[in-house]
Amino acid sequence: NAGVTQTPKFQVLKTGQSMTLQCAQDMNHNSMYWYRQDPGMGLRLIYYSASEGTTDKGEVPNGYNVSRLNKREFSLRLESAAPSQTSVYFCASSESPTGVPGKLFFGSGTQLSVL
Amino acid sequence: TQLLEQSPQFLSIQEGENLTVYCNSSSVFSSLQWYRQEPGEGPVLLVTVVTGGEVKKLKRLTFQFGDARKDSSLHITAAQPGDTGLYLCAGFNAGNNRKLIWGLGTSLAVNP
């Protein structure tokens, strides 16, 4: 049972480059989330999706776009990467609806460096 | 702005010692979760507490939710190297914004 799978594990970009972080879950969860984790800032919500076809902004959405391709997959795109986007990115899913305190299942993260 | 303050920020102890870490806020939460995160991995849920004064035990870990639902503690008895990791608390606000608020974590190292 894979749970939440994120790819890639590591990525180095130059300023201005674009990339997409992939996330897939095999638990049939409706709710999916993208977080970034930075020293001294903790986990911050970028975007979330309550169900297939819907997405909403979190605390720090600027510079990012998301796509909920289907129930399993939720991708995060950086159109023009900036050094401030250097971070560890986590995808998470939950069987609980968004806005309800359910158990979050996290992927193992993507460590992104923007030079 | 709701904040969750965790203390201590760092803790390094010897195997077999007991420890307590804290998660405090000036705001009331409808529930609070504790997660453990190991290096290179995502957080994993340990427990959810929802009732003021509630105490939950998970083997050697004891979690308590404050009576006023503004704070929580995690006590580990006879710590083992496998307990090493970042302990995160996250409080849920069931009010208008229905957000999960994360603390910055306590980084625990248990030395053999």
Side-chain angles (χ1 to χ4, degrees):
Chain A
N1 47 348
V4 179
T5 303
Q6 288 184 240
T7 56
K9 183 71 173 176
F10 301 96
Q11 184 71 49
V12 179
L13 294 177
K14 294 181 179 178
T15 297
Q17 287 186 318
S18 62
M19 78 160 295
T20 299
L21 281 65
Q22 307 287 350
C23 174
Q25 52 90 11
D26 62 2
M27 295 172 283
N28 202 37
H29 290 167
N30 281 313
S31 304
M32 296 188 73
Y33 305 82
W34 275 105
Y35 284 92
R36 59 178 290 174
Q37 187 174 37
D38 303 287
M41 302 294 289
L43 280 162
R44 292 182 291 170
L45 183 63
I46 305 171
Y47 270 93
Y48 64 97
S49 170
S51 62
E52 180 180 351
T54 68
T55 61
D56 285 287
K57 296 178 180 179
E59 300 172 66
V60 288
N62 292 344
Y64 305 95
N65 287 302
V66 290
S67 295
R68 183 72 182 269
L69 305 170
N70 47 55
K71 193 170 186 179
R72 290 186 66 248
E73 298 173 289
F74 188 35
S75 61
L76 179 71
R77 183 161 178 83
L78 287 70
E79 291 290 352
S80 179
S84 61
Q85 295 178 304
T86 293
S87 186
V88 181
Y89 291 85
F90 288 100
C91 177
S93 71
S94 175
E95 62 183 353
S96 298
T98 57
V100 174
K103 178 178 180 178
L104 286 173
F105 292 81
F106 284 85
S108 58
T110 295
Q111 188 168 324
L112 175 66
S113 294
V114 183
L115 306 177
Chain B
T1 302
Q2 288 183 299
L3 293 174
L4 269 173
E5 297 183 356
Q6 291 192 244
S7 61
Q9 187 176 358
F10 299 99
L11 190 56
S12 180
I13 61 172
Q14 295 300 120
E15 183 175 0
E17 292 184 6
N18 301 332
L19 67 119
T20 302
V21 298
Y22 300 92
C23 175
N24 295 304
S25 176
S26 58
S27 302
V28 176
F29 293 99
S30 61
S31 64
L32 193 136
Q33 297 178 326
W34 284 92
Y35 288 80
R36 180 170 63 211
Q37 183 178 17
E38 298 184 9
E41 297 296 329
V44 175
L45 180 68
L46 297 173
V47 76
T48 301
V49 285
V50 296
T51 305
E54 182 176 6
V55 176
K56 281 192 173 180
K57 292 191 175 183
L58 184 64
K59 296 184 181 177
R60 295 175 293 100
L61 279 61
T62 302
F63 304 86
Q64 185 162 9
F65 201 14
D67 291 341
R69 292 184 287 130
K70 293 182 178 181
D71 55 83
S72 182
S73 64
L74 159 59
H75 181 79
I76 301 179
T77 303
Q80 298 178 0
D83 296 326
T84 293
L86 179 68
Y87 288 82
L88 295 162
C89 65
F92 181 73
N93 171 15
N96 290 336
N97 60 19
R98 305 180 72 79
K99 288 171 55 179
L100 193 61
I101 308 298
W102 292 87
L104 298 184
T106 291
S107 181
L108 171 65
V110 182
N111 306 300

